[in-house]
Amino acid sequence: MLNRLSIRTHSQSELMDITPLVKDVVDKSKIENGVCYIFVPHTTAGITINENADPSVREDILMELDKLVPWQGNYTHMEGNAAAHIKASLVGSSETIPIEKGKLALGTWQGVFFAEFDGPRRREVWVKIMKKGSE
Ligand code: ZN
């Protein structure tokens, strides 16, 4: 089953910690061993895993992405949000996390972040839980 989570972002660029939302889907699945697949069905947003203990890590990532891909540039995309499309491709649109003993097997400092690059908007994150067939 595909779980379609609805979220609302608050800034043009933002890394939103959605770890609790993903954990909730894993908990409700009651699956002990398997894989959690997270997919973002947008072209100007993505998903990434990084540190969620110190919020300055998020700020640094966004700041450096802005330097790599400035909002204003010599782009050909007429909609005016070429930078958001490029950043979305840089961070990617999916992540895969193991599920062990019913829990998302993330590293101690890892969190799952929805990466908004053309907000604020209402967005979706699709989460699929796959049960392991055999040990
Ligand atoms: Zn566009």
Side-chain angles (χ1 to χ4, degrees):
M1 190 183 94
L2 189 63
N3 299 272
R4 295 166 195 261
L5 307 178
S6 196
I7 59 168
R8 178 172 283 284
T9 59
H10 304 97
S11 317
Q12 186 185 56
S13 281
E14 178 178 355
L15 289 177
M16 180 185 281
D17 188 352
I18 60 164
T19 314
L21 296 176
V22 179
K23 280 184 174 167
D24 195 46
V25 174
V26 173
D27 287 348
K28 284 179 178 153
S29 77
K30 308 272 186 231
I31 285 169
E32 284 293 304
N33 284 288
V35 162
C36 175
Y37 178 71
I38 310 165
F39 182 76
V40 169
H42 302 291
T43 61
T44 56
I47 191 139
T48 191
I49 293 174
N50 215 300
E51 175 168 339
N52 69 352
D54 182 353
S56 67
V57 172
R58 271 173 264 179
E59 290 168 30
D60 287 343
I61 292 171
L62 290 175
M63 185 177 70
E64 293 304 308
L65 281 173
D66 269 339
K67 285 186 201 163
L68 279 173
V69 192
W71 189 259
Q72 299 290 340
N74 195 20
Y75 306 116
T76 54
H77 180 50
M78 294 297 285
E79 199 189 359
N81 61 354
H85 289 288
I86 295 165
K87 288 176 183 174
S89 273
L90 286 174
V91 305
S93 56
S94 66
E95 290 288 356
T96 311
I97 306 167
I99 299 168
E100 280 290 323
K101 295 175 183 160
K103 301 270 178 230
L104 218 46
L106 285 166
T108 307
W109 308 108
Q110 286 183 319
V112 183
F113 293 95
F114 182 88
E116 175 63 85
F117 298 118
D118 194 16
R121 296 179 187 230
R122 184 161 288 286
R123 297 289 203 175
E124 282 198 3
V125 181
W126 296 351
V127 181
K128 184 132 185 129
I129 307 295
M130 285 162 285
K131 189 176 182 175
K132 190 172 182 183
S134 58
E135 290 299 315

